[in-house]
Amino acid sequence: MKNLLTTIAIICITVISATAQSNSFGTRVGYNFELSLQHPVASNSGMVEFDAGVTPFITQKGIMYNEDGTSSDRRYTYGRVQAVIAYDWIMDILPSFYWYAGAAIGVSWGYGEFFDNPHYDKNGKLITYRKLGLPIGAQIGLEYEFKSPINISVDWRPMINVFGISQGDYTSYLYSFSLGVRYRF
């Protein structure tokens, strides 16, 4: 009985050790402010990254069309809350330094007076901007792992909101450059 328990314990420790991979948790700051979690997969040749964050209120001045087709300059504010999941393939450059590239998909929710007010085109036709967004895109970046349990990354994640295009919502995140700082555990 003692040998059986020892054998089971050794098998459990071996399985746990073989599947244990270092995760990373931290922030990703750029166009958005996000909490970020990375998990290596496929024998460390890839990683899944989950990010959840907010685009703070942005104030812009723009030309808005009225219902009668006349235009006026208006200031409006808007922002988005979003969650994104990305799968990246990892390619080594040097030990502890690598680059990665992959695909990303997410869900977002717009807020602010931009989404709350009616919008019209030049002919006075009502344009509907959806608050719900389904962005898809790509991600490419560089990451360095320090000897301490910290890694730092720089990446670009261009995304397009595919859900709202037919309603005139071309909200995109083409300039989404970010700096990530994460703790490995």
Side-chain angles (χ1 to χ4, degrees):
M1 182 68 160
K2 192 175 185 182
N3 289 338
L4 179 63
L5 290 175
T6 305
T7 304
I8 291 172
I10 290 172
I11 290 171
C12 288
I13 291 170
T14 304
V15 168
I16 290 169
S17 298
T19 60
Q21 299 175 6
S22 80
N23 295 311
S24 300
F25 180 76
T27 61
R28 190 175 171 272
V29 179
Y31 182 75
N32 298 326
F33 297 102
E34 299 175 342
L35 293 177
S36 179
L37 175 67
Q38 292 177 335
H39 179 73
V41 294
S43 302
N44 290 333
S45 64
M47 73 175 163
V48 174
E49 181 175 335
F50 177 76
D51 300 318
V54 63
T55 304
F57 273 117
I58 297 171
T59 302
Q60 285 187 338
K61 183 177 180 181
I63 296 174
M64 298 297 227
Y65 290 96
N66 303 315
E67 192 171 4
D68 61 4
T70 61
S71 64
S72 60
D73 286 342
R74 239 174 76 190
R75 294 183 77 78
Y76 54 88
T77 59
Y78 65 94
R80 283 196 180 271
V81 176
Q82 76 174 14
V84 174
I85 188 164
Y87 182 84
D88 296 312
W89 290 270
I90 300 171
M91 281 74 57
D92 291 333
I93 298 172
L94 296 170
S96 300
F97 184 56
Y98 54 89
W99 71 282
Y100 54 90
I105 187 167
V107 62
S108 66
W109 183 259
Y111 60 89
E113 66 182 350
F114 178 80
F115 293 100
D116 297 333
N117 293 321
H119 299 276
Y120 301 93
D121 66 10
K122 292 179 183 180
N123 300 321
K125 182 181 174 191
L126 182 65
I127 300 172
T128 304
Y129 286 87
R130 294 181 175 170
K131 289 185 177 186
L132 178 65
L134 296 173
I136 63 168
Q139 179 170 299
I140 186 167
L142 294 168
E143 187 159 310
Y144 182 77
E145 294 180 351
F146 292 97
K147 290 181 183 177
S148 65
I150 300 291
N151 62 356
I152 188 166
S153 66
V154 178
D155 65 47
W156 176 46
R157 185 192 295 155
M159 298 185 79
I160 297 174
N161 184 9
V162 296
F163 184 65
I165 288 178
S166 62
Q167 272 61 42
D169 184 1
Y170 298 103
T171 306
S172 62
Y173 315 96
L174 297 179
Y175 306 109
S176 185
F177 293 94
S178 295
L179 172 68
V181 178
R182 297 175 188 87
Y183 174 78
R184 285 190 319 275
F185 60 93

